[in-house]
């Protein structure tokens, strides 16, 4: 199917922002909820919404899905990289993820391939900074909370 569009969304601002949240399961802040609502009003023609199963992403996805009249598909492979015992703690120099970068990229890549194989004309994928960097191939780049980047699938 030609001419498909995927929006790659970073969840809205969440509790604990500025720490190594990793796989901590925290809620959106009121600001994050407002970001999700605003984004839901900007994306059009959404037929499918896929999200990390962590609350901050799922809450963002729920706002978009509700506006679009579709269900949210939760996928644990779209979780942020795990920092293990450091999840939820302030960043410190030298902290390494508990999950290897290779394993992280493999699980995200597998989920992304399945999403791209879908038939929806417009799909929204809601995930996290690191996940979206893997998907978009821009490790080291930043994506603001509650924003979307467009990916066109031929």
């Amino acid at each position: 199917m030609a001419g498909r569009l995927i929006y790659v969304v970073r969840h809205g601002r969440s509790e604990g922002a500025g720490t190594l949240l990793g796989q901590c399961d925290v809620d959106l802040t009121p600001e994050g909820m407002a970001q999700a609502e605003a984004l839901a009003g900007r994306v059009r023609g959404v037929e499918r919404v896929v999200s990390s199963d962590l609350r901050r992403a799922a809450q963002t996805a729920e706002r978009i899905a509700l506006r679009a009249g579709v269900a949210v598909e939760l996928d644990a492979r779209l979780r942020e990289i795990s920092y293990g015992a450091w999840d939820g703690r302030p960043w410190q120099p030298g902290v390494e993820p508990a999950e290897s970068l290779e394993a992280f990229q493999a699980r995200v890549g597998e989920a992304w391939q399945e999403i791209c194989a879908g038939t929806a004309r417009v799909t929204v994928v809601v995930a996290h900074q690191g996940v979206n960097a893997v998907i978009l191939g821009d490790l080291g780049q930043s994506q603001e909370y509650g924003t979307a980047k467009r990916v066109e699938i031929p």
Side-chain angles (χ1 to χ4, degrees), residues 23 76-82 97-114 129-141:
Q23 294 189 4
R77 296 173 300 178
L78 295 173
R79 285 183 172 199
E80 184 61 279
I81 195 166
S82 172
E99 179 178 21
S100 75
L101 187 57
E102 294 78 16
F104 175 58
Q105 289 174 318
R107 79 169 156 83
V108 171
E110 179 181 283
W112 179 245
Q113 285 180 343
E114 288 180 21
Q129 174 71 27
V131 171
N132 293 356
V134 169
I135 288 171
L136 297 168
D138 59 4
L139 289 172
Q141 299 298 311

Side-chain angles (χ1 to χ4, degrees), residues 2 9 26 33 48 65 71:
V9 172
V26 297
M33 288 292 216
R48 183 180 186 204

